[in-house]
Amino acid sequence: MTGDASGPRYIVKSDVEPRSIRVDADGNLWGEVPVILVQGPIGADKEARVWSPQEREFVSSKFTPEVPDDLPGAGMKPDPLEAKSVPEFIDLMGKYRRWAGSPSYRVMANRVGVRSSSRFCEALKSDKLPTFALLNAFVVSLEGTSADFQRWASAWRALEGQTPARPRRLPLAEEAE
């Protein structure tokens, strides 16, 4: 994807094989793929404008791009259940964002209808577990599935239970009476 949330973006068409595949000197694979030119918000129940070659203009369309699966056996999607600490969990959140194509925080915020994109940035720089609501918005903004969110929520709950409880103030002798 290129461009910001309000400007045009290019999204690879799903279920299409690349053509003219080649390998560069670093071993990276390159190929030609058909793309869709999109304007406006993208996501479930969002009205986007998609370029129509027949009409030679943008037309309204409900469009939800897919994050393609890894090749069988590659399994590159970060697994939040591997996190044993809050810093590891936050690190995996960053890796998950990169796995999903590194959309800008503004694009992520627009996908879920959040006004401020800074909350995603702050969550990835923090040493604290994000709120459950922010985690939900994070996974949805990266076009995660319900199964993805279930894994993230399970990992969050396991780590949330590890956070030390606030010390309780014991009543003074005169208050106890």
Side-chain angles (χ1 to χ4, degrees), residues 130-147:
T131 64
F132 193 76
L134 182 61
L135 177 65
N136 185 7
F138 180 82
V139 174
V140 170
S141 74
L142 295 174
E143 299 161 357
T145 64
S146 59

Side-chain angles (χ1 to χ4, degrees), residues 1-12 36-51 58 61-67 103 106-114 140-143:
M1 249 191 263
T2 62
D4 63 65
S6 60
R9 297 174 304 295
Y10 302 95
I11 300 173
V12 176
I36 301 170
L37 180 59
V38 180
Q39 278 186 330
I42 294 178
D45 301 325
K46 304 282 184 182
E47 190 78 19
R49 296 181 53 76
V50 178
W51 179 256
F58 285 95
S61 171
K62 292 219 173 176
F63 180 77
T64 305
E66 298 175 20
V67 175
R106 181 173 291 153
V107 167
M108 291 170 62
N110 285 339
R111 286 178 181 170
V112 293
V114 176
V140 170
S141 74
L142 295 174
E143 299 161 357

